[in-house]
């Protein structure tokens, strides 16, 4: 089973944003810091999930267990519903991608257990800012 820790972060709301993705499995570790441009923090959380799903699909992983410290994202995936309709297309994309796995789990964890993904997301914000300066 591949373990995937994800985090989205924004410097401002909205502001420069990034996705942090930390993948453990098959004896290897992968770290991804992906600049996302300017968006709100919740949008960055969804984009982190989508980017991580895309990476796992590209790698051919079939069984994945995701961890996020975003209650908004974990509850939306669990219920397949989001109150704020602005996030509906992001949720739909995430659900579509998650259906491509033999097994997909997403679990909420406290931020203290998600430090690796958080650091990667913060690095992605800085990479983002570097592109515009």
């Amino acid at each position: 089973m591949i373990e995937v820790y994800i985090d989205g972060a924004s410097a401002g709301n909205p502001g420069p944003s990034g996705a942090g993705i930390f993948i453990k499995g098959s004896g290897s570790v992968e770290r991804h810091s992906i600049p996302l441009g300017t968006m709100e923090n919740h949008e960055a959380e969804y984009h982190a999930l989508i980017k991580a799903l895309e990476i796992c699909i590209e790698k051919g992983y079939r069984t994945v267990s995701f961890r996020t410290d975003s209650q908004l994202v974990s509850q939306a995936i669990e219920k397949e519903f989001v109150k704020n309709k602005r996030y509906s297309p992001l949720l739909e994309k995430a659900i579509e991608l998650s259906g491509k796995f033999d097994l997909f789990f997403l679990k909420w964890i406290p931020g203290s257990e998600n430090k690796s993904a958080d650091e990667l997301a913060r690095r992605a914000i800085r990479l983002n800012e570097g592109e515009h300066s």
Side-chain angles (χ1 to χ4, degrees):
M1 168 113 30
I2 304 296
E3 289 184 27
V4 183
Y5 293 79
I6 60 170
D7 197 18
S10 297
N13 204 22
S17 302
I21 303 164
F22 182 80
I23 302 173
K24 288 193 317 190
S26 316
S28 67
V29 171
E30 295 176 47
R31 293 173 179 85
H32 301 271
S33 290
I34 303 169
L36 298 173
T38 299
M39 62 181 61
E40 293 179 357
N41 189 61
H42 290 317
E43 289 175 286
E45 297 281 5
Y46 277 106
H47 281 281
L49 171 59
I50 291 166
K51 297 283 187 192
L53 288 165
E54 290 171 344
I55 289 167
C56 290
I57 289 166
E58 284 173 23
K59 301 268 183 189
Y61 300 146
R62 303 301 313 149
T63 304
V64 294
S65 179
F66 276 57
R67 308 277 192 277
T68 179
D69 60 12
S70 170
Q71 289 183 323
L72 181 89
V73 169
S74 67
Q75 289 173 357
I77 291 291
E78 182 182 323
K79 296 175 181 170
E80 295 190 3
F81 174 79
V82 63
K83 284 183 192 163
N84 187 332
K85 296 302 177 204
R86 233 174 28 153
Y87 304 133
S88 290
L90 296 170
L91 175 61
E92 288 171 20
K93 177 76 172 170
I95 290 169
E96 174 197 330
L97 292 171
S98 68
K100 296 181 186 268
F101 297 94
D102 294 338
L103 277 174
F104 168 80
F105 300 101
L106 179 85
K107 179 183 173 188
W108 177 83
I109 57 172
S112 61
E113 294 178 25
N114 206 27
K115 286 192 184 338
S116 293
D118 178 65
E119 288 170 11
L120 293 166
R122 293 183 189 288
R123 181 181 305 152
I125 289 172
R126 292 191 299 276
L127 291 172
N128 211 7
E129 292 169 344
E131 288 180 358
H132 300 294
S133 55

